[in-house]
Amino acid sequence: MSGSGGTVRSAAARARLATRLLAVLSCVLTAEAQLTGVLDDCLCDIESIDDFNTFKIFPKIQKLQERDYFRYYKVNLKRPCPFWADDGHCSIKDCHVEPCPESKVPVGIKAGSSNKYSKAANNSEELEDCEQANKLGAVNSTLSNQSKEAFIDWARYDDSQDHFCELDDERSPDAQYVDLLLNPERYTGYKGPSAWRVWNSIYEENCFKPRSVYRPLNPLAPSRGESFYTWLEGLCLEKRVFYKLISGLHASINLHLCADYLLEETWGKPRWGPNVKEFTRRFDPIETKGEGPRRLKNLYFLYLIELRALSKVAPYFERSVVDLYTGNGHEDAESKALLLDIFRDTKSFRMHFDEKSMFAGDKKGAKSLKEEFRLHFKNISRIMDCVGCDKCRLWGKLQTQGLGTALKILFSEKEIQSLPENSPSKGFQLTRQEIVALVNAFGRLSTSIKELQNFKVLLQQTR
């Protein structure tokens, strides 16, 4: 009898849990959590983004990320943290990043950076070839000598004033190629004081926030004080946008960890998949005191920002002078065709964020605010070198650089519009590293929004 009663109680408990989880996601994905309708600070609704991403963007961006040009990313994971003493690297095996052997990297990609300052520096003819390949790994081999010289001049142009990120020096002996498909972003077990310190530093020191205002859920917050959201709504548009971008990036990363979680490991064979309980812990309106839905709205806002950047940068890639060069002519042509197809889709979206509403005040004040905006974001990119888990650092650096590249694009509209068709421009350029980061970062956001829909289905199935 007691066993039967225990079974009944167990079934009832499971039913209650399933009901609560379904209610949670209903809260997250319906009007109760305000994750529907028009987003703040723009004129786009969430439902339109869901449909656009599911049916147009997601399938194509997934294919593009599998192309050789976009799967190999050169990164330095050994740069020391510039802000505090290194508190040790994560020793969990899933934190490890397996670098790609040079022999596996397509020759056209390697030609873009390896030995750039040694062999090339001593041989002017090799310098032309090396610099030519280095500009995106993307130069048409039929260029005239005049165009080649222009590329070399372009390489010497210091565009650091345009960068929103601290870029890795690809010539460093510590920089290595990583195959992103073989090192996917997923839950590694990295958590605790080290991980909290990184995000706390990002929010507390780089989001224009005074110390008297505490973020929601901050364990150090006093019982009384100025409301965080009262403070946030009192900021100018640019500073509100900055906070939403960082919050959206944080939410997206958390979603990836929930969606690709180590569920079990039997005889050394891991099984990865979506973890509904972890999703609930991070986004449940009750457990997060209403923060989960707000964070997910910021994810959608970030998606819009990067989507807008892709639509704006299309003319840069539409030029015949730009290839996605790996050394495989057939694949390079297919990769560019797919990228241009995605650009056409981004330009067809009818509810883009209007970046012209930013930095629209008096010229002097707008310029100063833009520079402050840039430096704050650049500082955040440097904090990524303080992440103790190599895999988390890899994907944190890539997604931060991708967002930084998107911001660089949005604030370079005039330079992009005036690009010459058959030669490079000193006014605006992107390195291959920036291009790979831009596409993969947007691919991660597209995946996050798709995974939200998957969690909704999963929770409905537990009913």
Side-chain angles (χ1 to χ4, degrees), residues 330-366:
H330 178 70
E331 176 162 317
D332 295 348
E334 287 188 342
S335 296
K336 183 169 181 180
L338 180 55
L339 180 63
L340 295 182
D341 189 28
I342 292 173
F343 286 147
R344 282 189 288 272
D345 285 337
T346 65
K347 289 191 283 188
S348 73
F349 189 70
R350 297 182 179 276
M351 290 176 281
H352 276 294
F353 175 78
D354 182 10
E355 73 283 356
K356 292 180 181 178
S357 59
M358 295 177 63
F359 308 109
D362 67 278
K363 288 187 177 180
K364 185 176 180 179

Side-chain angles (χ1 to χ4, degrees), residues 137-151:
V139 185
N140 192 315
S141 60
T142 60
L143 288 176
S144 66
N145 287 333
Q146 182 179 5
S147 292
K148 290 179 182 178
E149 291 172 3
F151 269 104

